[in-house]
Amino acid sequence: MTYLALYRAWRPQSFADVTGQQHVTRTLQNALLQQKFSHAYLFSGPRGIGKTSIAKIFAKAINCKQEPLNEPCNECPSCRSITSGELLDVTEIDAASNRGVDEIRDLRDQVKYAPTEVDYKIYIIDEVHMLTNEAFNALLKTLEEPPKHVIFILATTEPHKLPLTIISRCQRFDLQRINHEDIVARLRFICDELNFEYEPAALELIASTAEGGLRDALSLLDQVLAFGDNRVIQEHVMQVTGSVNDKVLCDLMEQVADRNIPAALSVYDQAIRDGKDPKQFVKDLLYFCRDLLLVLLTPDISEVNQRGLLKKGFAEVAGKYSDQELMTMLEQVAKTDYEIKYINQPRVVVELLLIQMCRRDVARRDSDTMLEGLRKQVAQLEERIAKGVPVATQQVKDANRPKLSAGSQGSVQKDKLIEISKGNNIKVFDKIKGHWDEILEHVKREKVTLHAWLINGQPVAVYQTYIVIAFQNAIHRETSDQSANRQIVENVIQKMTAGKPFQIMNILMSEWNEAIAGTKDVSDEKNQENDSVKQAIEMFGEEFVVIKD
Ligand SMILES: [Zn+2]
């Protein structure tokens, strides 16, 4: 006995057996109940999701005389001969191998004759987009004046390649990829029926790899069964597909969490030396990151529980990330997964991806400071425009170029800083400055890392209850400014000043220097403005310059 591939042996024979696609089968079954049929149907959608299976079930049900109307009985002579492909009135044509006008002309000649054994002649044309233009024209002529007893069912993975004149004459159905749970359920059903031993995780992995295609899932199940004498275990699925196992990915994501670039690269290197394919590696990493995010956001949902994600150390790894981090990384991995198909050096691209993932904060901070720089420049420009000062092209260019050292969120307005520098409480300030090393020492005892950030700054003023600390570097300022860190410094100072509560104001040294310069310049500002007006008049002529206060 020759072996029949699973996807053939388990091809659905009734609408009830079809996995997914209820939006299509329900409509077709209604048409059957009312016995009202179109002359042409178009089924479009990805490969291996049931287009031709549904077409054949529909063809059988149309010609079946038995009850119920909305399913084929699969028992009568008509049903049985359609299933076996022996009924001449129901013809399957593969347009990929019969592309020419001759085949379609033959078809045009044939459709004239009434069916011999059943009520309707039915033509199922698979991959119909492969037909030549001449063949399309011949088909169109038939569709324009179809004989009453003929029904066409066209199937295609690429509906956009069909002429609109054809599409407009068909009742169209878009079939969808089959969802993960439905594929797993079908695999489980078949394994149970055939008494195959299986690990649930193995079926999950097959379904993930098949990406919504049931035929691919069943072919893969076939290969796995052949590989491991009729047992379906995860290890075998991974060997057949070249997948990377969760243990490796867990290791990898732990190293990424620790921002340990050499260790992350070495996990990857080992996987490649074990014969894994970089492209498959990225695909597996994509699903792994998705699972981490699922565990983090919705640990209670059934998918997480069913797949035993919580057991395998997933939760522990997931807990090392914020949801925002995981989402950003998911985007990066998805982008690489897409691009890697077109790249000759996939291995290097994956290494780059891993480095980016390890350096995620650096990238974010850079873009944050850039944004903040831009924001400041725009504000300055708006101020100038509001004053009616013309903005020269060169200045616009400079404004577009972000200053990397510019301040960041939470910085203090310039006006406020000018006020502070004028009202500096010199007496208290001298005391704080005199004891600054001591304060740093106490902070170090509380939290070593904060001390490392804080030594980048120095006190520059005391104003009312504020102690102003100016930093050379935006990252140091930002980290020291986190409320928990600010609290530590404030507590230390409160202890040392015998209970007097101060608040810390963390700013950038560049902002402070600007503010000090500002106090000197205030009196000159009016003159500068007059100069600007003079320049503007020179550039544009007097009638174009309006001075607004
Ligand atoms: Zn029947």
Side-chain angles (χ1 to χ4, degrees):
M1 194 184 110
T2 52
Y3 179 73
L4 194 57
L6 282 176
Y7 83 86
R8 283 186 188 284
W10 290 85
R11 175 170 272 186
Q13 301 299 339
S14 67
F15 287 117
D17 275 349
V18 174
T19 305
Q21 322 300 0
Q22 278 83 359
H23 63 297
V24 177
T25 52
R26 199 176 305 135
T27 312
L28 295 177
Q29 289 189 289
N30 282 336
L32 285 163
L33 288 173
Q34 296 164 10
Q35 292 289 297
K36 279 186 185 159
F37 305 118
S38 301
H39 284 294
Y41 294 86
L42 174 63
F43 295 164
S44 68
R47 55 192 287 272
I49 58 171
K51 294 186 295 294
T52 47
S53 296
I54 293 176
K56 275 190 98 169
I57 295 168
F58 192 41
K60 278 193 283 188
I62 289 172
N63 281 321
C64 180
K65 298 285 191 315
Q66 311 280 333
E67 294 285 326
L69 281 176
N70 63 352
E71 287 278 14
C73 74
N74 284 315
E75 299 290 337
C76 69
S78 149
C79 280
R80 284 160 69 170
S81 55
I82 293 174
T83 303
S84 64
E86 286 159 6
L87 187 79
L88 292 175
D89 292 325
V90 173
T91 314
E92 268 188 88
I93 299 169
D94 179 11
S97 44
N98 303 291
R99 310 185 53 203
V101 67
D102 289 343
E103 282 83 4
I104 300 295
R105 261 201 214 112
D106 285 351
L107 192 147
R108 279 185 68 196
D109 292 338
Q110 289 169 25
V111 296
K112 287 181 223 151
Y113 306 108
T116 50
E117 295 167 69
V118 288
D119 291 346
Y120 286 93
K121 267 194 160 169
I122 297 176
Y123 293 91
I124 300 171
I125 308 182
D126 198 12
E127 299 298 352
V128 65
H129 63 272
M130 299 288 278
L131 291 180
T132 59
N133 277 338
E134 292 76 19
F136 271 131
N137 286 334
L139 178 62
L140 186 61
K141 290 214 173 75
T142 318
L143 290 180
E144 276 168 347
E145 288 168 22
K148 261 190 180 164
H149 54 264
V150 171
I151 294 174
F152 285 94
I153 305 176
L154 313 179
T156 180
T157 48
E158 300 181 56
H160 56 278
K161 289 188 178 166
L162 295 183
L164 279 177
T165 43
I166 300 266
I167 294 181
S168 65
R169 286 191 162 70
C170 299
Q171 186 176 354
R172 179 172 174 175
F173 294 94
D174 293 323
L175 281 74
Q176 290 156 2
R177 288 185 189 281
I178 302 163
N179 77 39
H180 185 91
E181 286 71 26
D182 287 346
I183 292 188
V184 173
R186 184 72 179 164
L187 292 171
R188 202 184 301 126
F189 175 78
I190 292 174
C191 286
D192 285 341
E193 288 288 306
L194 298 175
N195 280 322
F196 291 145
E197 233 179 274
Y198 62 87
E199 293 176 354
L203 302 188
E204 294 287 344
L205 187 56
I206 291 176
S208 299
T209 310
E211 293 184 328
L214 187 57
R215 186 167 63 207
D216 285 352
L218 292 180
S219 300
L220 191 53
L221 180 60
D222 253 336
Q223 291 175 46
V224 174
L225 288 167
F227 186 87
D229 38 77
N230 288 347
R231 282 183 317 141
V232 191
I233 61 175
Q234 195 180 10
E235 190 54 40
H236 292 168
V237 180
M238 284 190 290
Q239 300 223 15
V240 169
T241 59
S243 293
V244 186
N245 75 34
D246 285 351
K247 171 87 177 56
V248 172
L249 293 171
C250 260
D251 277 359
L252 179 78
M253 289 306 282
E254 282 200 36
Q255 303 305 343
V256 171
D258 294 341
R259 297 165 178 78
N260 189 338
I261 296 175
L265 289 180
S266 118
V267 173
Y268 171 60
D269 185 56
Q270 188 57 50
I272 296 302
R273 268 191 275 162
D274 289 344
K276 304 301 177 197
D277 171 41
K279 293 176 187 173
Q280 184 64 42
F281 188 92
V282 172
K283 209 170 267 316
D284 293 335
L285 183 58
L286 183 66
Y287 280 105
F288 192 83
C289 287
R290 169 196 176 267
D291 288 345
L292 287 180
L293 190 62
L294 267 188
V295 169
L296 199 66
L297 295 181
T298 52
D300 301 328
I301 66 165
S302 60
E303 187 185 341
V304 171
N305 289 323
Q306 273 174 16
R307 293 172 56 192
L309 292 183
L310 289 173
K311 278 178 238 153
K312 291 179 282 181
F314 258 73
E316 208 176 296
V317 180
K320 296 190 171 193
Y321 294 95
S322 71
D323 47 0
Q324 190 54 49
E325 276 179 314
L326 280 176
M327 278 191 272
T328 310
M329 281 193 269
L330 248 180
E331 275 171 26
Q332 287 174 328
V333 181
K335 193 162 160 270
T336 305
D337 178 47
Y338 175 75
E339 290 170 349
I340 203 168
K341 295 168 201 150
Y342 311 104
I343 286 169
N344 291 329
Q345 297 293 341
R347 185 173 174 169
V348 182
V349 176
V350 181
E351 285 168 351
L352 185 65
L353 169 70
L354 296 178
I355 292 170
Q356 280 174 340
M357 287 165 71
C358 288
R359 285 172 56 90
R360 56 199 176 280
D361 314 285
V362 181
R364 201 190 59 225
R365 279 190 208 124
D366 279 357
S367 70
D368 276 2
T369 36
M370 259 172 73
L371 262 183
E372 188 50 38
L374 273 176
R375 220 174 274 147
K376 254 182 125 180
Q377 304 271 5
V378 169
Q380 283 171 6
L381 269 179
E382 278 174 348
E383 205 180 312
R384 290 180 74 94
I385 291 166
K387 282 180 185 165
V389 179
V391 180
T393 349
Q394 187 54 46
Q395 284 165 328
V396 174
K397 269 188 194 157
D398 284 345
N400 285 337
R401 195 182 308 142
K403 281 184 196 162
L404 281 173
S405 59
S408 51
Q409 275 187 342
S411 288
V412 186
Q413 282 183 346
K414 192 178 169 186
D415 293 352
K416 183 77 187 166
L417 287 180
I418 291 175
E419 192 186 322
I420 289 172
S421 68
K422 281 187 196 160
N424 191 1
N425 184 338
I426 304 288
K427 225 172 101 187
V428 183
F429 170 68
D430 282 346
K431 265 191 192 158
I432 296 287
K433 195 161 172 64
H435 289 90
W436 187 242
D437 286 344
E438 221 175 305
I439 293 172
L440 284 177
E441 207 46 48
H442 278 88
V443 170
K444 192 177 184 177
R445 265 177 243 162
E446 298 283 328
K447 191 174 174 186
V448 178
T449 48
L450 173 58
H451 174 262
W453 295 113
L454 201 59
I455 50 173
N456 182 261
Q458 61 182 85
V460 290
V462 173
Y463 178 72
Q464 295 168 354
T465 58
Y466 290 102
I467 296 174
V468 184
I469 302 173
F471 289 80
Q472 300 293 344
N473 186 302
I475 297 170
H476 290 247
R477 188 204 77 82
E478 219 171 281
T479 315
S480 306
D481 204 44
Q482 287 164 3
S483 74
N485 287 339
R486 239 178 14 226
Q487 193 68 52
I488 292 174
V489 181
E490 284 168 3
N491 288 345
V492 165
I493 292 176
Q494 189 171 8
K495 272 182 212 154
M496 294 183 63
T497 54
K500 200 160 184 245
F502 281 101
Q503 284 156 284
I504 296 296
M505 182 187 283
N506 292 312
I507 64 167
L508 282 175
M509 190 55 92
S510 57
E511 291 171 323
W512 181 247
N513 289 336
E514 260 180 57
I516 298 175
T519 50
K520 289 175 196 148
D521 287 342
V522 170
S523 52
D524 296 328
E525 224 175 72
K526 205 73 194 170
N527 292 336
Q528 271 185 359
E529 214 170 288
N530 287 342
D531 282 345
S532 307
V533 173
K534 219 182 279 171
Q535 278 176 11
I537 293 173
E538 274 169 25
M539 280 171 77
F540 297 103
E542 203 157 10
E543 61 269 41
F544 287 105
V545 178
V546 180
I547 303 165
K548 283 186 187 165
D549 259 327

